[in-house]
Amino acid sequence: MAPMKGLTVFIADVRKCKSQWQPSLNGYNRKKYVCKLIYMSLLGYDVHFGHKEAVELVNSPKYSEKQIGYLAVSLLLTESSGFMRSVVTALRRDLYDTNECNACLALSAVTNVATREIAETLTEDIVLQLLSSSASMFVKKKAALCLLRLLRRFPEAVKARQWAARVVPYIGHRDIGVTLAVTSLVTALVQQHPDETRKAAALAVRRLNSLLADNEHTVDYVYYRVPAPWLQVKLLRLLQYFPAPESAELRGMLTSTLRRIIDQSQDAASDLQQMNAQYAVLFEAISLGIHLDADQALLQQSAALLGRFITSRETNVRYLGLETMAHLAAYIDDVSAIKRYQGVIIQSLRDRDTSVRRRALDLLYSMCDVDSARAIVGELLRHMAVADVALREEMALKVAILTEKFATEYAWYVDVMMRLVSLAGDHMGDEVWHRIVQVVLGNEELQLYACKIALQTLRAPVCHESAFKVSAYVLGEFGHLIANAPDCAPIDQLKALQAKMGPTSPAARAVALTAIAKFTNLFPEIKTLCLRVLDRFRAALDVELQQRACEYYALATVESEDLLPIVFEEMPPFPERQSALMSRLLSKGADTEDQRTWVLGTRDPNRERSGAQQQQQLPQSPPPGGEAGVPRAADPAAGAGKASSEAKGEAAGAAGAVMPEEQAQAARGRKHYARLLWENDGILHDGDEIQVGVVAQYKPPAGRVGVFLGNKAAVAICDVTIEARSGEGSLEIRLAENQAPPTSLVPLAQARIFFDVTCKDVFATAPTLHITYSLAGEPTELELQLPVTAAHFMDPVTIAVGDFFARWKQLGDAGIGEAQEVFRTPFLATDGGAGPWLRSVVGGMGFALIHGADPVPDNIVAVGIASTATGGRFGCLMRVEPKQSHGLTRVTVRATNSGLAAAVAANLSMIFASR
């Protein structure tokens, strides 16, 4: 291909290509080639033939070429592209690149492409970049925002429950940029996984306090004399997803922080930028104070501030003030402080800005109570005629709800509702007139007055269709209540209905036909006239009207005195249920994932919602067997005896009750514990915050056990205590001399502590390790079982090949101590290393393998002697018989002490179960 000098030459060269596979280009020409393809793609042309070149650029070692490659991949490739797998491989390689520019390019590409395959494949790698101690701050920020993007697109694919708790401590990171990005991520996580992120509240409170009270920030993050306003806003918003802190220290710290923010907002801003920053933090702080139901003095001070804001000349400030005041009015019981600004709020209904008018309507709806209902409803009705068309439906719904909720007189309710449907009938759904009918049917005291108003409405020069439907329905049900009143005779009611039926829609005429059909039962004196009306509509073009008229006419002409009263019986009251108007209003704000959403106008639903969120935030009970998932002493792998079938059933039932994540954590804990039964060093517990390791040395009957404690969190852990306890007198465990347990651990630090153990006699229960610590003010208690059993105090003993079965038979005949178990070992048939692994396990448990003693080559026989300080020494023989064809292994242990045999068998049971 000739050197490309411009777009014209490039297009000519493309047209000359006989196929899409041309000789390879150098990096510079490929970069130019792909740039032009991007331009062609933006113009709408298909450039699939150039996708391969874009992927080649991604794999280039040069930054400029890699940058164009990732740009092209983001714009050109689709999720179903065949090149996507190659792109995923390149992304993973660049994520671990020591050059932070390449890592950042990969993170940006992941964020832009964000396919399901990328989310499922690379999420854990991105999490590792965020948690890595070697990654730069810039990479950590990008990693957090990349995770946020993937979480929003594919929440189920990223499996956030597995890593959410590990990223939460980074809210306390020393770099404000990292904290800002992680706070955005945690805010999204807390809405989906509240249990895993419950510790974020304490971290956010402390971070806010350090930012404002301790001034722990750099000059770079001070924006017009406001320290890190974006971080303050995000932290305040994050705290709105949590209940008030239970700790008195945290609660006092948070209250003082909110007061500090409100007090600082009193200072006059020197310019617009500072005012915007102060107000952004202030409004979020007030929202948090409302959510936490802070002390009344703080809320009253907030109301006074908001009253000043709603009179501001700045449109944005007025908008925020009205919105936040509506939030306040929806939570507090006493709205007297807000009522002082009722005139200003009503005036805001006529603001030039539509959004301000909408917020003013929300505030009037929220602050309305029995005392102010008439004034507010009257003002809204007066404003209905000049209100925006887009605002009338919502205004009508709110007027209807307020009228029903705060009506103290039936006459006022009927007057307002009939006026409402007359004014705004074109801008609201059928829910309003349906609700009027429901209320009238459910209140006998209302029915007489409702009939009078219905007849007056029909006689008015102009009658809206919704008002006509209400009037027709009410007269059809209760017209007999006013039949004896002047000008309200049955014939007058029928004439009023007929006069307004002509210009109405088929739906309205259908309601009127039903009312006229009921007149045939209520008023026999006008039955003939009613039949004439029904007969005329039997030829109507509308199918619904025709069917109704035919059926009603047939029923009315049946010669039966009992049929009409039964069919046209008065409608019973509707059952009590939530108002359809309220459901309609709530549905308008339900299409949001933000769980901070609060309900306008009502206090009880908001508090019920807050209570439900608090229940979600409560920590779940730990799984059986301790936090690390290590079984308790009743488990056969932890104790020296066999568990009964009843105990196993209970354990199985408890395991079925825990969450899948807790089951996985428990399984990992059992695997760590089982490995330490035949190896002397390894991990005992690997949690999200701390890691516990164990190293042991035994010289029977004594030993030394070292415990290593590592801080995996991004903040320091404090108030650390470590204590080892023995449940039996046969085992003595104590802190080694000159050992002082650490009281705190900085991030990524490790501490070690040693314990001396002495086996006085064979024991059945392993000792426990109790660890307590505090992370971000939240205390945590961890109880682990130490892998120290009677079988650990074993020395290998070698005997002659011919002597093994003689002693085996001798112990069997004595019947002192024998334990036998049959284990399912399906891995024998599939794993070629299963045989060596079995020998390693037996040797690791302190036995000497006697090769050639068993006539079956695959069988394993071994000998050991356990030493105790006061009980003496006990011989122990073991025979392991694997059956590869059956997938089973039988283990038999014979010893001069029954407890020792049971302990060895129990350890093997745990080891096989974890394989």
Side-chain angles (χ1 to χ4, degrees):
M1 182 178 289
M4 295 177 287
K5 298 180 180 179
L7 186 60
T8 304
V9 176
F10 165 72
I11 294 174
D13 288 340
V14 171
R15 287 174 175 170
K16 292 177 184 177
C17 291
K18 296 180 181 180
S19 70
Q20 56 181 312
W21 308 115
Q22 290 296 308
S24 60
L25 304 169
N26 60 38
Y28 176 73
N29 284 336
R30 181 180 286 113
K31 182 175 64 173
K32 292 171 60 179
Y33 170 57
V34 171
C35 286
K36 291 178 173 63
L37 287 180
I38 293 174
Y39 176 71
M40 292 169 60
S41 176
L42 294 176
L43 294 178
Y45 296 99
D46 184 14
V47 293
H48 67 277
F49 55 86
H51 291 178
K52 178 177 179 294
E53 303 300 330
V55 176
E56 290 293 335
L57 283 178
V58 168
N59 292 313
S60 172
K62 291 186 178 180
Y63 174 81
S64 59
E65 296 174 7
K66 190 182 292 289
Q67 184 183 34
I68 296 299
Y70 277 129
L71 175 63
V73 165
S74 302
L75 296 174
L76 303 181
L77 293 190
T78 62
E79 187 168 356
S80 59
S81 173
F83 293 105
M84 190 56 68
R85 191 172 298 276
S86 301
V87 173
V88 171
T89 303
L91 286 170
R92 174 175 277 125
R93 182 184 62 248
D94 289 338
L95 281 174
Y96 292 99
D97 199 311
T98 55
N99 186 343
E100 72 169 21
C101 296
N102 292 340
C104 289
L105 275 180
L107 289 169
S108 298
V110 170
T111 305
N112 291 327
V113 179
T115 64
R116 180 175 293 274
E117 181 182 2
I118 288 177
E120 293 174 346
T121 308
L122 298 180
T123 296
E124 188 61 32
D125 301 283
I126 299 170
V127 172
L128 291 177
Q129 288 298 309
L130 174 59
L131 304 180
S132 173
S133 59
S134 59
S136 67
M137 300 300 107
F138 198 61
V139 171
K140 287 180 181 291
K141 288 188 287 186
K142 278 199 172 277
L145 296 177
C146 183
L147 287 172
L148 176 60
R149 165 72 169 166
L150 295 177
L151 178 67
R152 287 173 173 171
R153 287 212 63 189
F154 307 106
E156 71 287 347
V158 298
K159 299 178 181 177
R161 192 183 296 274
Q162 298 179 3
W163 48 265
R166 292 152 58 191
V167 305
V168 167
Y170 277 75
I171 293 177
H173 199 277
R174 64 182 183 278
D175 185 271
I176 291 182
V178 175
T179 301
L180 187 64
V182 172
T183 303
S184 300
L185 174 60
V186 174
T187 302
L189 286 171
V190 72
Q191 300 180 64
Q192 301 180 22
H193 308 289
D195 290 339
E196 286 72 17
T197 54
R198 62 180 181 270
K199 293 187 177 180
L203 289 166
V205 172
R206 295 184 184 279
R207 186 60 166 160
L208 263 178
N209 186 68
S210 66
L211 193 64
L212 296 175
D214 303 333
N215 293 321
E216 291 184 3
H217 56 80
T218 60
V219 179
D220 298 337
Y221 286 95
V222 177
Y223 179 79
Y224 288 90
R225 294 183 291 280
V226 180
W230 299 278
L231 180 57
Q232 290 189 53
V233 168
K234 286 185 178 293
L235 291 173
L236 291 168
R237 184 168 299 171
L238 173 62
L239 287 169
Q240 294 176 45
Y241 294 98
F242 295 94
E246 296 181 0
S247 168
E249 177 193 0
L250 289 176
R251 192 162 53 248
M253 189 182 298
L254 183 56
T255 303
S256 64
T257 301
L258 294 178
R259 287 190 180 279
R260 186 185 300 273
I261 293 173
I262 293 176
D263 293 340
Q264 289 177 352
S265 68
Q266 307 292 337
D267 302 335
S270 58
D271 46 39
L272 181 62
Q273 288 80 4
Q274 183 182 1
M275 182 184 69
N276 288 337
Q278 284 182 345
Y279 285 173
V281 176
L282 174 63
F283 283 120
E284 210 63 55
I286 293 176
S287 296
L288 176 59
I290 297 169
H291 167 75
L292 298 177
D293 199 11
D295 57 81
Q296 292 301 313
L298 187 62
L299 293 180
Q300 293 297 328
Q301 187 178 2
S302 301
L305 272 175
L306 294 174
R308 190 182 73 188
F309 293 142
I310 64 176
T311 59
S312 172
R313 295 183 180 180
E314 290 289 332
T315 303
N316 290 337
V317 176
R318 289 201 306 277
Y319 174 89
L320 291 173
L322 290 168
E323 182 183 43
T324 310
M325 189 174 280
H327 188 185
L328 177 63
Y331 267 90
I332 61 176
D333 295 318
D334 185 9
V335 294
S336 57
I338 300 176
K339 284 184 182 179
R340 290 183 293 177
Y341 307 99
Q342 184 169 315
V344 177
I345 300 167
I346 291 175
Q347 189 63 32
S348 298
L349 287 173
R350 299 171 176 81
D351 195 275
R352 296 189 303 272
D353 192 279
T354 304
S355 59
V356 173
R357 295 197 293 269
R358 189 178 294 276
R359 295 287 81 80
L361 173 61
D362 291 342
L363 177 52
L364 287 173
Y365 176 72
S366 295
M367 64 181 286
C368 186
D369 58 11
V370 176
D371 298 330
S372 60
R374 286 180 178 255
I376 290 177
V377 169
E379 187 61 40
L380 291 177
L381 286 174
R382 284 191 292 273
H383 186 69
M384 189 83 67
V386 296
D388 299 338
V389 174
L391 198 60
R392 287 185 185 179
E393 180 185 2
E394 185 178 347
M395 187 177 292
L397 284 173
K398 290 179 177 177
V399 168
I401 293 171
L402 293 178
T403 304
E404 178 184 343
K405 185 175 182 180
F406 299 113
T408 56
E409 298 178 5
Y410 295 119
W412 181 72
Y413 173 79
V414 174
D415 292 341
V416 169
M417 296 305 291
M418 294 303 290
R419 184 182 173 191
L420 175 64
V421 294
S422 299
L423 285 173
D426 293 332
H427 305 285
M428 58 188 184
D430 291 337
E431 294 90 350
V432 175
W433 81 265
H434 288 170
R435 186 59 183 170
I436 298 173
V437 170
Q438 291 177 18
V439 173
V440 172
L441 286 176
N443 295 273
E444 293 185 7
E445 299 85 352
L446 195 59
Q447 294 164 2
L448 177 62
Y449 186 77
C451 287
K452 293 180 180 179
I453 297 300
L455 190 56
Q456 291 178 15
T457 303
L458 291 175
R459 289 172 174 171
V462 178
C463 179
H464 191 274
E465 185 171 299
S466 296
F468 174 79
K469 292 177 182 178
V470 175
S471 301
Y473 197 103
V474 170
L475 290 177
E477 294 293 334
F478 310 110
H480 61 281
L481 297 178
I482 60 170
N484 297 325
D487 297 328
C488 297
I491 187 65
D492 296 325
Q493 297 181 35
L494 179 61
K495 288 181 179 179
L497 272 177
Q498 285 184 279
K500 293 296 188 293
M501 279 182 69
T504 58
S505 66
R509 277 180 279 173
V511 177
L513 282 179
T514 303
I516 292 172
K518 290 202 170 190
F519 281 176
T520 62
N521 176 54
L522 292 176
F523 310 122
E525 63 270 24
I526 61 169
K527 182 176 181 179
T528 303
L529 296 176
C530 293
L531 288 176
R532 289 178 186 175
V533 177
L534 294 175
D535 183 58
R536 188 170 70 250
F537 277 94
R538 286 199 296 171
L541 295 177
D542 187 84
V543 177
E544 174 68 19
L545 292 178
Q546 185 184 100
Q547 183 176 356
R548 283 184 183 237
C550 290
E551 292 176 356
Y552 292 156
Y553 188 88
L555 288 171
T557 55
V558 172
E559 295 182 359
S560 173
E561 296 182 356
D562 300 329
L563 182 62
L564 281 181
I566 295 175
V567 175
F568 294 127
E569 185 181 3
E570 182 180 306
M571 285 290 292
F574 284 83
E576 289 294 332
R577 58 188 177 188
Q578 185 183 24
S579 169
L581 303 180
M582 182 64 71
S583 301
R584 176 72 177 273
L585 184 62
L586 295 179
S587 67
K588 289 181 173 294
D591 54 346
T592 175
E593 296 181 359
D594 190 351
Q595 296 182 6
R596 294 181 308 132
T597 303
W598 41 276
V599 181
L600 279 170
T602 52
R603 295 150 189 83
D604 294 339
N606 284 313
R607 292 181 178 177
E608 291 174 4
R609 182 186 184 91
S610 177
Q613 289 180 353
Q614 290 184 26
Q615 289 296 325
Q616 293 179 1
Q617 300 292 342
L618 291 177
Q620 302 296 322
S621 299
E627 190 169 336
V630 178
R632 315 301 294 172
D635 193 290
K642 299 179 182 178
S644 64
S645 59
E646 181 181 357
K648 291 181 179 179
E650 292 176 357
V658 299
M659 300 295 290
E661 294 76 14
E662 295 171 338
Q663 290 178 336
Q665 184 183 13
R668 289 194 299 270
R670 286 192 293 269
K671 190 170 183 178
H672 291 321
Y673 183 85
R675 190 174 186 85
L676 289 169
L677 292 177
W678 61 281
E679 290 188 349
N680 287 333
D681 60 88
I683 295 174
L684 178 61
H685 169 76
D686 192 9
D688 297 322
E689 297 166 354
I690 67 168
Q691 185 181 72
V692 181
V694 171
V695 59
Q697 290 181 344
Y698 293 97
K699 189 174 182 180
R704 172 164 287 193
V705 178
V707 176
F708 293 83
L709 185 65
N711 180 9
K712 297 174 63 177
V715 296
I717 60 176
C718 307
D719 305 326
V720 179
T721 64
I722 304 175
E723 182 183 3
R725 303 172 186 171
S726 174
E728 296 188 21
S730 298
L731 176 69
E732 180 182 346
I733 183 167
R734 59 192 178 279
L735 194 65
E737 294 183 2
N738 302 323
Q739 289 289 313
T743 58
S744 63
L745 280 176
V746 298
L748 306 179
Q750 189 181 73
R752 63 181 182 178
I753 183 172
F754 290 94
F755 296 92
D756 289 332
V757 293
T758 302
C759 178
K760 297 180 178 180
D761 203 345
V762 175
F763 57 94
T765 305
T768 56
L769 182 68
H770 295 261
I771 302 174
T772 62
Y773 63 92
S774 177
L775 178 65
E778 292 290 332
T780 301
E781 183 175 351
L782 189 65
E783 182 175 330
L784 307 171
Q785 200 156 17
L786 280 174
V788 178
T789 67
H792 281 82
F793 298 90
M794 189 85 66
D795 282 324
V797 176
T798 303
I799 62 175
V801 173
D803 293 341
F804 178 82
F805 279 102
R807 298 192 181 183
W808 181 263
K809 186 176 183 303
Q810 182 181 0
L811 286 177
D813 294 339
I816 299 175
E818 178 175 330
Q820 188 177 83
E821 292 277 359
V822 177
F823 304 107
R824 296 184 60 84
T825 51
F827 57 85
L828 292 174
T830 57
D831 189 352
W837 178 80
L838 284 174
R839 288 175 169 80
S840 298
V841 168
V842 174
M845 293 181 65
F847 286 84
L849 276 64
I850 311 300
H851 299 284
D854 198 299
V856 180
D858 291 338
N859 289 355
I860 303 171
V861 294
V863 182
I865 293 181
S867 301
T868 64
T870 59
R873 306 179 72 193
F874 305 99
C876 186
L877 306 181
M878 180 193 302
R879 188 183 188 193
V880 181
E881 301 170 271
K883 297 293 183 182
Q884 180 177 342
S885 58
H886 296 79
L888 299 172
T889 298
R890 181 171 66 183
V891 176
T892 308
V893 182
R894 292 178 179 177
T896 56
N897 182 287
S898 59
L900 179 62
V904 173
N907 286 3
L908 283 169
S909 174
M910 185 69 172
I911 293 169
F912 280 119
S914 67
R915 169 70 179 187

